[in-house]
Amino acid sequence: MTPAPVLFISNGTAEDLIGARLAALLGRRTLYAPLVGEGRAYAGLPEARRVGRVLRLPSGGFPFGSLPNLRSDLRAGLIGESLGQWRDAARGASGAGAVVVVGDAYALMVGTLAARINRRPLLHVQPLLSAQYLEGLDLRGTLRELNALGANRPLPYELRLARRAQAVFVRDAATQAYYRRRGVPARFAGSFAMDVLPAPERELHVPAGRPVLALLPGSRDDHRESLSTMLRAAALLPQVTPVVAWPHPWATVALPSGWTLEVASDTEATARGEGAGVSLQRGAFGAVARAADVAIGTAGTANEQLAGLGVPVIAFATRGPQYTAGFARRQGRLLGAALQVVDAHPAALAAAVNGLLEDPSRRAQAAVAGLGRIGPAGALPVIAAEIEVLAEGVWPRHPGPAV
């Protein structure tokens, strides 16, 4: 008898990647319902089928990151299309052996409804919340970040939904303790971010004996603003080897005025200007991350992965959609000494890089903080084994407390 498929509900680029890696570990067909974008990470899996419509948001999945984000998403049909996705997910769950949510409270609501309507087991992977976001967050800070209230801490309704799930996995030990104090038997089995960090894809051929500066403009549209600032900062650092981990088509490269782009192949290009030449590498994030001594990043998961490797990260806020000033503050609380947020100016970034390279004790402190706060890999095989058990029907079938 063919094993029943598993339905994955995820809402973000990193969440899709985690879901796809989990699905690849299962000996089952995959149904996937990406709530933001097309869920391209799942597309390469054998026998994978997308459930329901595609929601393309101008904000890239951050409607509450700023008021302009919310306005643009509402104009794009956020409410009507989202309700349609709820119906699509519920229909998709009818043929699944289990429902797996990878994402935030909103994704958990969609997954809870789909699982309850069809009486299917539910497993929640929460890769976003961390109790470390609350460190040093006073009332004034909370009021300043009201749009991120549910991202800084699990709200009561999310905890109630999580208590109904058959299994809940969180991103770090501090969050496990936070959830358990509130009645959710959550588990920390390892870092999701480090689990999905790719192995080095190829050799970079960087000069020996020179520090490597990784430039991480990110997968969101922040790169249209941040890459130019990063390149100009790199031009002020002739003693380092800068390498851009570029995840987009070459046509989307936004260069500073006076700079040129020399495309060598589909995977390698060089940006030239202000007396500098900066290598851009496509499809080589794993190689760039492992070669780096220091990083400048306006990215979410990528910044965390570099910190998890022990690489100090320097960041600066953009106008969005993701790496806003509020997001930078939140990531600073998450990563502690592993992240340094400075002004969005090339000279400030270059000074921060020099400060780290000239002070080994600061680099060591940043490395220890990153390694400790992100944690080691190893969660996904544990979660996959749990999914297999649930999909075979080995789970409590009592109705549980009312939601």
Side-chain angles (χ1 to χ4, degrees), residues 310-329:
V311 178
V313 182
I314 300 160
F316 59 95
T318 74
R319 285 170 289 186
Q322 181 184 30
Y323 214 86
T324 59
F327 190 100
R329 286 193 301 270

Side-chain angles (χ1 to χ4, degrees), residues 100-168:
V100 177
V101 170
V102 186
D104 60 13
Y106 174 74
L108 181 58
M109 283 194 291
V110 178
T112 297
L113 178 65
R116 290 194 70 187
I117 287 175
N118 296 284
R119 297 186 61 80
R120 296 293 187 268
L122 174 68
L123 183 145
H124 184 207
V125 177
Q126 178 37 295
L128 303 171
L129 282 175
S130 172
Q132 295 172 143
Y133 284 132
L134 303 176
E135 293 182 9
L137 185 65
D138 56 14
L139 177 60
R140 183 177 180 180
T142 299
L143 293 175
R144 184 170 59 170
E145 297 179 11
L146 279 178
N147 63 325
L149 185 62
N152 284 334
R153 69 184 75 218
L155 298 177
Y157 78 91
E158 180 176 358
L159 293 172
R160 293 185 70 183
L161 294 175
R163 292 184 194 109
R164 288 194 60 93
Q166 276 61 56
V168 177

Side-chain angles (χ1 to χ4, degrees), residues 24-246:
L25 294 173
L26 303 174
R28 297 173 179 272
R29 290 172 292 134
T30 300
L31 305 175
Y32 62 100
L35 302 180
V36 178
E38 301 176 16
R40 293 178 181 173
Y42 296 98
L45 297 172
E47 297 187 85
R49 179 169 66 85
R50 191 181 67 229
V51 171
R53 68 204 69 196
V54 173
L55 179 58
R56 296 181 178 90
L57 297 176
S59 74
F62 292 90
F64 300 108
S66 66
L67 188 57
N69 281 10
L70 181 58
R71 286 173 177 160
S72 61
D73 283 0
L74 288 172
R75 286 195 294 267
L78 172 65
I79 296 175
E81 290 299 298
S82 295
L83 290 175
Q85 288 185 321
W86 287 60
R87 293 190 293 269
D88 297 339
R91 284 195 291 266
S94 64
V99 176
V100 177
V101 170
V102 186
D104 60 13
Y106 174 74
L108 181 58
M109 283 194 291
V110 178
T112 297
L113 178 65
R116 290 194 70 187
I117 287 175
N118 296 284
R119 297 186 61 80
R120 296 293 187 268
L122 174 68
L123 183 145
H124 184 207
V125 177
Q126 178 37 295
L128 303 171
L129 282 175
S130 172
Q132 295 172 143
Y133 284 132
L134 303 176
E135 293 182 9
L137 185 65
D138 56 14
L139 177 60
R140 183 177 180 180
T142 299
L143 293 175
R144 184 170 59 170
E145 297 179 11
L146 279 178
N147 63 325
L149 185 62
N152 284 334
R153 69 184 75 218
L155 298 177
Y157 78 91
E158 180 176 358
L159 293 172
R160 293 185 70 183
L161 294 175
R163 292 184 194 109
R164 288 194 60 93
Q166 276 61 56
V168 177
F169 288 87
V170 294
R171 61 183 297 171
D172 53 49
T175 308
Q176 173 185 281
Y178 183 94
Y179 268 71
R180 288 187 174 184
R181 286 195 299 269
R182 288 153 180 82
V184 179
R187 296 169 59 188
F188 167 59
S191 168
F192 312 127
M194 303 313 291
D195 271 326
V196 299
L197 176 65
E201 299 84 355
R202 58 181 179 267
E203 190 174 351
L204 294 182
H205 303 292
V206 295
R210 287 165 57 92
V212 174
L213 172 64
L215 302 179
L216 313 173
S219 63
R220 308 291 184 177
D221 278 353
D222 304 77
H223 72 84
R224 300 184 187 280
E225 175 184 347
S226 64
L227 176 64
S228 177
T229 304
M230 292 179 184
L231 292 175
R232 295 187 62 213
L236 299 174
L237 295 163
Q239 79 278 22
V240 307
T241 299
V243 184
V244 180
W246 186 249

Side-chain angles (χ1 to χ4, degrees), residues 1-5 27-29 95 97 391-392:
M1 183 176 177
T2 304
R28 297 173 179 272
R29 290 172 292 134
E392 288 300 320

